Amino acid sequence: MTNTEKNVQTTQICKNATDHAISGAYARGSILSGGGGCPSLNTPQAWYDMVNAYQQAALGTRLGIPIIYGIDAVHGNNNVAGATIFPQNIGMGATNHPALEQQVCAATALEMNATGIRWDFGPVVAVPQDIRWGRTYEGYSENTDLVSKIGAACVRGLQGSSLSADNTSAATAKHFIGDGGTAFGTSTASGPTGPYLLDQGVDQMDEATLLKLFLPPYQAAVTNGVRIVMTSYSSTTAGKVHGDKHLITDILKGQLVFTGFVISDWGGIDQVVPGSCSAPVAQSIHAGIDMVMVPTDYVRFITTMKSLVQAGTIKQDRIDDAVTRILGVKFEMGLFEKPMPAAGKESEVGSASDRAIARQAVAESAVLLKTSPNVLPIAASGKKVLLAGQGADDIGIQSGGWTITWQGSAGQITSGTTLQGALNAKLGDNLTYDRNAAFPAGTKADIGIVVVAERPYAEGVGDSSTLALPNEDVALLAKMRPLVNKLVVVVISGRPMVLGDVASADAVVEAWLPGTEATGLADVLLGDKPFLGTTP
Ligand code: BGC
Ligand code: BGC
């Protein structure tokens, strides 16, 4: 391999940046779809064709080294319209059921393969310590042991018993290390809606505390064969993790004997030495990052790498190690023998069997926070039920961020079953729904269900100093109360919220961000299945 060919292997670019012909000097080792990085037509077939086109182009370069295509399939293959959307990780933590998470992640890998993709930027094994963090829902739990257990189960589910087997996906434990431990107010990053508060901030704790809280999930992932680890945007008191050789090389690769490769986060190395072009590349590669999620200006990145290697600033053996690790994973995945998964499997996306797994996960994730006697479960026989709330009949709200787009959004963004749809199927005429609780005068019912819901967000956009539920939702309680004998509130949220008046309801259920299969929620509300979830 020429030096350029080696540098190319260390380069990951965003598919939206691939205006350059995929050949020669500017070929690449990997392509990713960021959140919402969909083909112009968002169908499983179009995804497969897109990935296949990149793959065929890579195979046509001098060495014919296949690319590895990566995506954030963090609650199902969630960018793909029609995919099964599983509960966000906080809900899977609430199930405390590793075998179920393993099934969820195996189903995710299956739906990824149907779209031609075999590398997942998941599981997130953060251990969120401050629920004001916008990524709290991406973590399984605030408890390190629970995260280790469920995260390892996801790795097993994605990677199967052999990475070269059909329908497997390489897994990524992220974000190494300490991404759930940043102190409020330490972030200097910002996003589309303004400055972040915690996300990408600083872990203000000594190393012993950092490692005790955050290292075990990586140890568990490595023991279970995880092939990729992604570094965290956040900093420790020693600086940005992306540039920290002690953490990446000594601890992750040395102490944990991690033999796969390390990828940086989206534009993450640029933050190591802000404002400089070559210094962050030199420092982060030296620190032990093997592949760089550039993600757009790959010409500059490859040129910079080349001159740094020529000048000896980046040592040849460091590049050789990085490329060996990357190619090693590509070999293990069988990409050289079979660069693309089988075509024609589009019908596996959003299949009935995967939706059944999701429904079970939803049922097991719901937490009964409170109930007065004889309120929940609702005995279905003949009870009149009123339902209201912006999140009661909205696939987008119940799925949260990282769904079809990076931030997610309210509305009919993909196919699935809302709580309204699920309850209607079970209760028929005994259910009356109005989003705004504008029921006709004189309406009387046994039970009123009000859904109060956080609106979708992702990453630092969701950092919150108040954890307040939307007023427009909470106001519905007062409208509903006079119409019903018992009032039930279902909270849809990515984290525990300040309940305020909501806590006065006769029963309160925390449903987290259940995804597309809210039938699982109806199952527990109506007593077809028991409440098993516990606050994670
Ligand atoms: C996130 C990662 C994600 C990457 C690619 C980053 O902003 O922090 O979790 O894998 O984008 O979408
Ligand atoms: C991408 C995400 C990425 C984020 C980073 C967005 O434009 O879609 O995948 O995580 O940028 O800031």
Side-chain angles (χ1 to χ4, degrees):
M1 294 176 78
T2 64
N3 261 327
T4 299
E5 283 165 336
K6 291 178 186 176
N7 294 341
V8 155
Q9 287 305 309
T10 69
T11 307
Q12 183 185 60
I13 76 171
C14 163
K15 73 109 186 146
N16 292 331
T18 55
D19 50 328
H20 212 284
I22 309 178
S23 65
Y26 300 123
R28 65 240 17 173
S30 176
I31 299 179
L32 88 143
S33 278
C38 311
S40 44
L41 189 67
N42 189 349
T43 64
Q45 174 80 51
W47 277 93
Y48 187 93
D49 292 347
M50 173 181 79
V51 178
N52 192 36
Y54 289 130
Q55 190 60 285
Q56 297 314 320
L59 297 175
T61 57
R62 191 181 75 96
L63 296 175
I65 299 175
I67 57 154
I68 173 174
Y69 198 102
I71 198 160
D72 299 283
V74 289
H75 60 143
N77 194 5
N78 42 252
N79 288 290
V80 180
T84 307
I85 303 296
F86 296 92
Q88 300 273 7
N89 280 352
I90 192 168
M92 296 311 301
T95 69
N96 192 8
H97 192 170
L100 182 57
E101 172 69 355
Q102 186 168 335
Q103 269 188 290
V104 163
C105 291
T108 300
L110 185 78
E111 296 202 13
M112 289 170 64
N113 273 258
T115 60
I117 302 175
R118 294 202 53 220
W119 175 12
D120 190 359
F121 304 141
V124 175
V125 292
V127 191
Q129 298 300 296
D130 186 329
I131 56 178
R132 294 173 294 182
W133 185 38
R135 304 194 81 157
T136 298
Y137 68 79
E138 294 188 61
Y140 295 109
S141 168
E142 68 175 359
N143 176 283
T144 302
D145 292 340
L146 186 55
V147 173
S148 301
K149 228 169 46 174
I150 312 255
C154 183
V155 171
R156 292 194 297 272
L158 288 168
Q159 297 196 163
S161 47
S162 158
L163 253 192
S164 60
D166 288 345
N167 295 322
T168 56
S169 160
T172 310
K174 72 183 189 185
H175 309 80
F176 184 83
I177 185 176
D179 55 346
T182 59
F184 188 88
T186 58
S187 181
T188 52
S190 59
T193 55
Y196 293 175
L197 302 170
L198 298 100
D199 193 40
Q200 310 189 15
V202 185
D203 284 52
Q204 292 172 332
M205 55 185 84
D206 60 26
E207 187 177 292
T209 310
L210 181 85
L211 297 180
K212 185 165 183 273
L213 265 173
F214 298 107
L215 193 61
Y218 291 94
Q219 174 73 75
V222 168
T223 305
N224 282 272
V226 77
R227 298 323 286 138
I228 298 116
V229 170
M230 187 187 293
T231 40
S232 169
Y233 282 129
S234 58
S235 303
T236 67
T237 50
K240 284 280 169 192
V241 175
H242 273 76
D244 195 323
K245 181 163 191 275
H246 171 61
L247 290 172
I248 301 172
T249 298
D250 300 345
I251 294 185
L252 175 62
K253 291 179 175 176
Q255 199 178 306
L256 298 193
V257 201
F258 172 62
T259 57
F261 68 85
V262 175
I263 182 157
S264 56
D265 203 344
W266 178 281
I269 70 165
D270 302 338
Q271 300 181 4
V272 171
V273 188
S276 163
C277 177
S278 62
V281 177
Q283 189 178 330
S284 51
I285 300 291
H286 178 68
I289 285 172
D290 301 303
M291 183 186 278
V292 172
M293 190 186 291
V294 176
T296 45
D297 196 351
Y298 55 95
V299 174
R300 189 185 78 170
F301 174 72
I302 291 172
T303 314
T304 305
M305 281 285 277
K306 197 171 170 182
S307 52
L308 287 168
V309 174
Q310 268 162 3
T313 315
I314 294 180
K315 300 277 175 287
Q316 188 64 52
D317 58 356
R318 178 71 270 276
I319 292 298
D320 289 348
D321 172 50
V323 174
T324 302
R325 286 168 176 269
I326 292 163
L327 292 181
V329 172
K330 290 183 176 182
F331 279 115
E332 285 174 54
M333 293 175 72
L335 288 174
F336 286 85
E337 291 76 18
K338 197 177 173 198
M340 284 297 292
K345 303 274 190 187
E346 290 79 14
S347 65
E348 284 175 359
V349 173
S351 68
S353 55
D354 290 350
R355 290 183 190 276
I357 296 168
R359 173 179 175 175
Q360 186 188 345
V362 172
E364 292 193 25
S365 68
V367 180
L368 182 58
L369 293 177
K370 153 182 186 184
T371 183
S372 305
N374 306 319
V375 178
L376 284 182
I378 302 163
S381 52
K383 286 255 168 74
K384 296 268 184 230
V385 177
L386 302 182
L387 175 68
Q390 305 302 315
D393 191 23
D394 192 306
I395 283 285
I397 290 178
Q398 74 190 38
S399 297
W402 297 107
T403 310
I404 310 301
T405 56
W406 177 40
Q407 291 293 318
S409 66
Q412 187 63 46
I413 58 173
T414 189
S415 53
T417 306
T418 64
L419 182 58
Q420 190 278 330
L423 287 174
N424 189 53
K426 290 182 185 248
L427 298 175
D429 288 347
N430 285 327
L431 178 78
T432 309
Y433 164 68
D434 187 83
R435 168 187 287 256
N436 301 310
F439 298 107
T443 303
K444 259 306 195 184
D446 301 293
I447 304 272
I449 304 174
V450 174
V451 175
V452 294
E454 276 199 290
R455 305 300 189 259
Y457 56 81
E459 302 191 36
V461 173
D463 287 352
S464 164
S465 55
T466 62
L467 294 175
L469 287 162
N471 286 333
E472 70 170 321
D473 293 6
V474 177
L476 297 178
L477 268 76
K479 285 175 95 174
M480 184 72 99
R481 198 172 260 121
L483 311 182
V484 299
N485 294 333
K486 298 289 175 194
L487 182 62
V488 176
V489 174
V490 172
V491 182
I492 291 181
S493 66
R495 50 195 158 184
M497 306 298 288
V498 175
L499 292 180
D501 287 352
V502 167
S504 68
D506 299 295
V508 182
V509 174
E510 173 59 64
W512 313 111
L513 297 167
T516 52
E517 305 314 312
T519 307
L521 193 51
D523 288 338
V524 288
L525 289 171
L526 300 183
D528 295 339
K529 287 181 182 167
F531 279 100
L532 296 173
T534 51
T535 54

